[in-house]
Amino acid sequence: AISMKDLLHIQWTGSNTHNNNNDGNTGQGTAGTDRSNLLQMSDDVGKNYPLEIKHASFWSGVESLTDPHASGTDIAIGFASSGYYCSEKGTKMCPASESVEKKHTDINNQLNNAPASYFGHVLRFKRKGHMNYICTRNNSFSNRSQKGTLWIK
């Protein structure tokens, strides 16, 4: 758990070309690549899938120090798309051409066309609570389950 006084930087690194002697290709997406994303899940433990962003209420209690003009929805979009989209319509730090509204190429459902690494956001929390989260790229096999819970106290 983290305190509301704390800042949290969520970021990740991936790969476009790894060579694990065919030992690292058991996941999803293009062979030799590694991608991640982060989406809010339901609090119902029987529902093992992400919420639609419009229902992901956790993000309304978060502000970004990386992009102070980003709404909670913008932050959720960036994490869900691994940075492929940086906002819903554009912000001072995110050009509209990289937004959901204006980008002309859709994101691949396996994140193959998303960036391998994502700088993410430095976050400040405006209220206490928690978020169950999931990585959708690495969650369809019995040997993988990238999920967790973030607690704000």
Side-chain angles (χ1 to χ4, degrees), residues 18 22-29 31-32 137-138 140-144:
H18 70 69
N22 289 326
D23 197 25
N25 291 328
T26 57
Q28 298 157 272
R137 163 112 171 207
N138 301 310
S140 356
F141 295 88
S142 61
N143 65 337
R144 292 184 185 206

Side-chain angles (χ1 to χ4, degrees), residues 15-19 24-25 30-34:
S15 174
N16 286 323
T17 56
H18 70 69
N19 181 356
N25 291 328
T30 303
T33 66
D34 182 32

Side-chain angles (χ1 to χ4, degrees), residues 65-116:
L65 276 65
T66 309
D67 185 353
H69 301 282
S71 69
T73 298
D74 294 331
I75 296 166
I77 287 168
F79 284 128
S81 69
S82 192
Y84 184 79
Y85 303 113
C86 57
S87 71
E88 187 172 25
K89 297 180 180 182
T91 68
K92 287 187 177 183
M93 300 295 293
C94 166
S97 61
E98 298 299 313
S99 70
V100 172
E101 185 177 82
K102 298 285 185 182
K103 201 162 194 174
H104 297 293
T105 306
D106 289 340
I107 190 166
N108 174 271
N109 67 354
Q110 299 293 313
L111 303 175
N112 290 325
N113 60 344

